[in-house]
Amino acid sequence: MIKTILAIDDSETMRDMVKQTLDMGNYNIIMAIDGKDGLKKFMHNEVNLIITDINMPVMDGIQLIKEIRKVNQDVPILTLTTESEDDMKKKGSDAGANGWIVKPLHPAQLLDIIEQILL
Amino acid sequence: MNQNDLNDSSLTNTGPVLVLDPDKSMRAHLRKLLLLNGFDVHTAAAPGEALEAMIQNNFWVILTEANFPGRNTAMILQRLREQEEEPVIIVHSNLHEPGSHIRHNLGKIFEYLQKPAPAHEIIGQIKKAALFFQEKHKHIDFFQRSKNRARHQLEWLLWQQQQKHFEKIHFGIDLISSIKHSLTQGMGVGALVTMIELLEMNLDREPRDQNKIDELLQKIIFAGKQVNTWLSQLENISSTFTKKYTQEEIEGNEIKKIVNQSLKDVADFQEFKNQKVIIEKLTLNRDLIFSRNLFSMILRELLTNAFKYSPDESSINIALTHNDRNCALVVLNDIIPGSKGIPRDSENYIFEPFYRISNIYDERYISEEFGLGIGLTVIRNAINHFGGQLYIYEVNDYATAMQPRKRIAAELIIPLKMDNAEDDQENVSRTEISNYLFRNDQHTNA
């Protein structure tokens, strides 16, 4: 069965890069433009994995993760962000993120990680 | 005073009034009375509730009971007065004491009304109090806030002194972090790296999808151009440090031309969010001592920031005012809902190199002149060099909307040409004038 990945980033360029990467892995992809949009799409779809940016307007990635964890403890959440500070990583981990990937996005590496998680 | 006085429609511009009274029926009565007379009225049953309401609203007048059993009334009134805007307090109570003693016991109150006061007396005193509030703020805002700023500046200098030995390390870390951020965010070097890797993966695939490969090549060319823009930014910043601006006399009537040209230069940024620029009459009958090129560069940076950090479809106001020694050009913009604005304790930090209040990055502005978190540092240094000053701070805008709202003011202060050279030495301080601007003679640059 094709797995569904929800990817959230406010940058149009990043959304395009993530989509092109995931296209190569044969996944069903849902894109969202900020945390609020992501949360809405998560609520209305069966999602197997979430990849989210952290710094976003309207609702940031940390808040999104917290909101998702209120209703779902199991779905794996990866962050894809420019933030590499330990403090921020801890915030993400405390909120319920399972992995922290620092930009720039390396497509092959991301596909490997996803494959391991969704095995 | 008759009924017509009570319904005076001029009150619609009066700021909010808070009624603090534990008696439910009295609260309802006062609320109805004030609403009927055009006031924006809020009510609270207890001092704690009142203080909570004061966090959300800048009340001009508080009409309060003074009898709170078991509580120290003087202390409560003191707490109410201590709020930033220092509302005017009218006590409406039944303390059975001569007025002068009450004033002495309760501290600084505007008026004491024996409860239950007649409606016309309540309305009349609140009107007077509101006028007093306005007048007081016109005259003391500047001094009070300047005093507060001076205290903040002093604290800041002390903090900087304490941090001195950490500065070099911090600067290095911030520099690396800022460059890394700029490199890896949305449309930049990071995207180029990703696209090249995607291209490699697509080239290795069998069968090849030529359309995909062509599409990626197009994107790589575009991203390459963006990186080139980014490198030009670096060059631009570098040249700003070494550029020598000429101090020159600028006629007051040239300001409008410089503002309009700067607006044209950043017109692309204005279009992204379909924002409107409202220009106050920009006339000045005095000459400035500044640099035309620097003036334009500063305006481009301030306008770019105003567009970038304000909501879609919002308005940006530009206005000019002056006193005997300086003129102040103010750019005022709204705050994006949910964003921090500029907290008072961040006012000094925003001019520090690489300091960012928010890490949210809008890639549409990649071609901005500075970026990299250094624009404000660069322009403020240049402004100071010419005896000017730049302040950026949050204001309560009372003039452009019915309800006061928080906005960001960027205030550029430029010295005027003085007949007596000795007069040039006076320090410049911010005017806080933006609270009172933008009333008349506006035209719109949509």
Side-chain angles (χ1 to χ4, degrees):
Chain A
M1 198 178 95
I2 295 179
K3 301 282 175 80
T4 299
I5 298 176
L6 170 63
I8 306 132
D9 202 304
D10 61 318
S11 155
E12 195 183 337
T13 309
M14 278 314 298
R15 286 199 303 274
D16 182 40
M17 296 297 96
V18 171
K19 187 174 182 318
Q20 296 217 31
T21 302
L22 299 179
D23 274 343
M24 299 184 80
N26 194 29
Y27 297 108
N28 182 29
I29 306 151
I30 301 169
M31 305 299 299
I33 58 169
D34 56 48
K36 195 176 168 189
D37 187 30
L39 185 60
K40 193 174 148 194
K41 284 176 174 157
F42 176 75
M43 296 299 194
H44 290 91
N45 293 279
E46 280 291 320
V47 174
N48 302 102
L49 172 70
I50 295 168
I51 302 170
T52 182
D53 186 17
I54 292 297
N55 298 311
M56 294 184 289
V58 188
M59 182 192 285
D60 67 24
I62 298 290
Q63 189 59 35
L64 169 69
I65 296 166
K66 285 179 183 169
E67 295 297 327
I68 287 173
R69 286 294 178 237
K70 283 181 194 170
V71 293
N72 187 315
Q73 294 291 316
D74 304 322
V75 63
I77 304 177
L78 294 177
T79 62
L80 180 59
T81 175
T82 56
E83 300 285 351
S84 56
E85 304 297 320
D86 288 342
D87 283 357
M88 193 53 96
K89 284 182 189 169
K90 187 172 182 308
K91 272 189 191 172
S93 168
D94 291 347
N98 302 94
W100 194 273
I101 302 168
V102 177
K103 290 175 185 173
L105 161 65
H106 298 289
Q109 181 199 41
L110 180 64
L111 287 172
D112 279 351
I113 293 170
I114 292 172
E115 202 176 315
Q116 285 173 40
I117 293 173
L118 294 180
L119 259 180
Chain B
M1 187 176 284
N2 59 33
Q3 190 61 35
N4 289 338
D5 293 324
L6 293 184
N7 293 322
D8 184 350
S9 61
S10 66
L11 281 171
T12 49
N13 285 330
T14 300
V17 176
L18 175 67
V19 173
L20 168 55
D21 200 307
D23 180 342
K24 192 178 174 183
S25 60
M26 181 54 78
R27 270 201 320 278
H29 162 69
L30 292 171
R31 180 182 160 76
K32 191 175 170 188
L33 175 67
L34 294 175
L35 281 174
L36 280 173
N37 282 276
F39 288 98
D40 172 12
V41 55
H42 301 242
T43 59
E49 203 181 309
L51 289 168
E52 212 170 291
M54 292 173 81
I55 295 168
Q56 305 292 332
N57 301 277
N58 290 322
F59 293 111
W60 288 23
V61 181
I62 298 178
L63 180 67
T64 179
E65 171 60 85
N67 186 14
F68 299 97
R71 307 285 297 270
N72 181 336
T73 304
M75 190 72 84
I76 290 167
L77 296 182
Q78 172 74 15
R79 290 288 306 279
L80 295 176
R81 268 194 305 270
E82 274 172 3
Q83 304 304 305
E84 187 183 3
E85 300 298 334
E86 205 183 320
V88 182
I89 310 272
I90 298 174
V91 171
H92 181 224
S93 191
N94 192 13
L95 296 174
H96 302 295
E97 286 183 41
S100 58
H101 284 179
I102 291 165
R103 281 171 190 274
H104 177 74
N105 290 335
L106 300 183
K108 200 171 64 177
I109 61 169
F110 181 76
E111 191 51 86
Y112 174 80
L113 299 173
Q114 188 66 28
K115 205 174 192 176
H120 71 267
E121 202 179 338
I122 293 172
I123 297 300
Q125 289 302 335
I126 291 180
K127 276 185 184 180
K128 278 189 198 167
L131 272 175
F132 174 71
F133 178 92
Q134 275 182 298
E135 287 301 313
K136 181 183 73 163
H137 274 246
K138 273 184 196 162
H139 293 107
I140 70 163
D141 242 24
F142 172 75
F143 298 106
Q144 183 60 42
R145 293 186 186 218
S146 293
K147 204 172 108 186
N148 288 341
R149 301 295 153 192
R151 186 169 56 79
H152 286 298
Q153 287 288 338
L154 186 61
E155 287 169 1
W156 171 247
L157 288 171
L158 287 170
W159 183 86
Q160 276 195 323
Q161 191 63 30
Q162 286 168 359
Q163 295 292 316
K164 215 170 178 180
H165 61 290
F166 292 122
E167 268 181 11
K168 280 184 183 171
I169 297 167
H170 275 256
F171 188 84
I173 292 168
D174 292 345
L175 174 65
I176 299 291
S177 161
S178 180
I179 288 176
K180 205 165 72 177
H181 188 81
S182 297
L183 281 170
T184 53
Q185 64 199 353
M187 193 190 290
V189 180
L192 192 58
V193 168
T194 307
M195 285 173 196
I196 290 170
E197 287 184 18
L198 276 169
L199 180 66
E200 281 178 336
M201 287 167 77
N202 274 284
L203 287 171
D204 289 344
R205 270 196 152 186
E206 288 297 341
R208 277 189 186 179
D209 181 344
Q210 196 54 44
N211 286 340
K212 184 73 111 184
I213 289 167
D214 288 346
E215 188 193 335
L216 274 167
L217 280 170
Q218 288 298 323
K219 285 180 177 170
I220 287 169
I221 291 168
F222 181 74
K225 285 181 181 164
Q226 298 304 325
V227 172
N228 206 26
T229 303
W230 190 80
L231 290 172
S232 302
Q233 263 184 16
L234 279 180
E235 184 55 37
N236 199 23
I237 292 168
S238 166
S239 68
T240 307
F241 282 120
T242 53
K243 206 169 191 169
K244 294 216 178 338
Y245 292 102
T246 315
Q247 194 168 38
E248 55 199 339
E249 286 180 21
I250 303 173
E251 287 182 21
N253 59 20
E254 278 186 69
I255 293 176
K256 192 175 176 181
K257 197 174 131 196
I258 295 172
V259 169
N260 283 330
Q261 183 55 50
S262 304
L263 268 170
K264 277 186 193 165
D265 292 341
V266 294
D268 285 352
F269 300 149
Q270 185 183 346
E271 278 177 25
F272 291 152
K273 296 183 186 174
N274 193 25
Q275 288 153 320
K276 208 162 60 175
V277 176
I278 299 169
I279 303 174
E280 182 90 353
K281 197 165 67 178
L282 295 178
T283 49
L284 181 68
N285 296 323
R286 299 270 302 273
D287 293 348
L288 314 176
I289 298 292
F290 211 57
S291 151
R292 283 180 184 80
N293 288 338
L294 179 60
F295 197 177
S296 300
M297 183 184 85
I298 293 161
L299 279 170
R300 289 195 298 272
E301 173 69 8
L302 297 183
L303 288 166
T304 302
N305 282 345
F307 294 135
K308 197 157 85 169
Y309 297 115
S310 58
D312 288 12
E313 315 274 344
S314 60
S315 296
I316 283 110
N317 298 77
I318 304 175
L320 185 75
T321 184
H322 71 98
N323 60 18
D324 289 345
R325 296 170 184 279
N326 303 295
C327 82
L329 191 131
V330 183
V331 178
L332 198 63
N333 66 272
D334 289 353
I335 298 171
I336 293 176
S339 67
K340 281 186 199 165
I342 301 181
R344 182 160 287 186
D345 56 5
S346 295
E347 282 180 11
N348 288 309
Y349 289 93
I350 59 174
F351 294 104
E352 291 293 299
F354 315 115
Y355 179 78
R356 293 173 197 269
I357 286 183
S358 162
N359 269 341
I360 295 170
Y361 167 74
D362 189 334
E363 61 190 5
R364 291 176 294 183
Y365 299 88
I366 190 168
S367 59
E368 70 175 303
E369 198 165 358
F370 292 106
L372 283 176
I374 204 167
L376 288 178
T377 315
V378 171
I379 64 168
R380 192 170 78 162
N381 286 347
I383 294 164
N384 292 348
H385 181 72
F386 282 96
Q389 190 54 270
L390 176 66
Y391 298 100
I392 299 182
Y393 52 95
E394 264 184 27
V395 288
N396 285 317
D397 179 3
Y398 291 94
T400 61
M402 291 301 286
Q403 290 293 321
R405 55 186 169 149
K406 292 251 184 243
R407 303 185 83 194
I408 302 292
E411 184 177 330
L412 169 64
I413 299 179
I414 301 176
L416 295 171
K417 185 186 169 195
M418 305 296 289
D419 294 332
N420 181 352
E422 284 177 13
D423 289 344
D424 289 345
Q425 301 305 315
E426 181 151 314
N427 288 333
V428 290
S429 57
R430 82 196 218 187
T431 63
E432 300 280 353
I433 198 73
S434 37
N435 279 356
Y436 308 106
L437 287 175
F438 314 119
R439 289 177 195 275
N440 301 308
D441 305 314
Q442 296 171 345
H443 73 268
T444 300
N445 170 4

